Each structure stands twice: as C-alpha cells, then as structure tokens.
Amino acid sequence: SKNLNSLAVLRAPEDVYEYVKDMHNLPKEQFRGLYLDTHHKVIHDEVLSIGTINASMVHPREVFKPAVEYGAAAIILVHNHPSGVSTPSESDIQVTQKLVQVGKMLGIPVLDHVVVTRTDFTSVPVDY
C-alpha cells in the first residue's frame, strides 16, 4: 500500500488507470487489488502477485483476505501488460469470472478488472 491515497475515489477505469501510474512501465506483470469502502474510496491497496497471471495461480483467498481484513465493500482488480497490448487474455477473462463468482458469494463485489499498459487500458468484461 505504498501509494495509498486515502482521497482516491475510483468510479471508472480511467480513475484506476490514473491511480496506478506506478504500474504503467513495470517490466513484469503485477496483479493488484484495490479495496474500496462504500463511497468507492481506496482503503487498502495490495500487490497480490507478480509474474504472468493465470486462473490456476490466482487464489480467491489471497484476493478476498484483505477485503475481509479491511472491511472492504468492493474490490477493483488491476494488472499490467508489459507487452504494451492492453487486450485481456483468455486467462485474464477466466481469472476475472472466477473472482466475480467468489465476490458474489461473499457479498464483496468485484467491480472491475483493468488491464493497464504504458499508454492504454482495457476493462475486462465483468458479467453480472
């Protein structure tokens, strides 16, 4: 939570892209959870894994543990593509769907999953 800006309010993918400026130029993929209160303010921010993300490597417990610990009302996921292409991979979509399902069960919705690059971002489709 190094750049935790308690005033950050994240309502749109643009806000997320701006908030995670420090990720735009990373040489490796980073998968990060932004934990929000009921007013969409960031109350906690954590790097959950480093390296290529795939569905088998992202454990829901690691994503939702901080949510429970910090009393988050919702989560936004974000990761970077060092390749510069922000199109979500098949794996990104699978990870997102898996975590959205878990969020529904726990009552802590995953609002968005934003893929960021140096110049661009794409929101992974979240089906509700």
Side-chain angles (χ1 to χ4, degrees), residues 27-97:
K28 275 192 176 155
E29 268 193 43
Q30 234 185 49
F31 182 67
R32 193 157 143 190
L34 309 179
Y35 299 89
L36 311 179
D37 69 10
T38 52
H39 304 291
H40 290 247
K41 280 202 179 98
V42 178
I43 53 172
H44 183 66
D45 170 346
E46 192 169 313
V47 174
L48 299 167
S49 73
I50 294 177
T52 308
I53 72 164
N54 67 50
S56 61
M57 284 166 51
V58 175
H59 294 289
R61 67 176 171 269
E62 286 160 19
V63 175
F64 287 92
K65 186 174 180 274
V68 172
E69 215 172 294
Y70 292 88
I75 303 173
I76 292 176
L77 303 169
V78 58
H79 81 279
N80 62 305
H81 279 179
S83 66
V85 178
S86 67
T87 311
S89 67
E90 195 49 52
S91 176
D92 296 342
I93 293 165
Q94 285 169 0
V95 165
T96 306
Q97 286 170 343

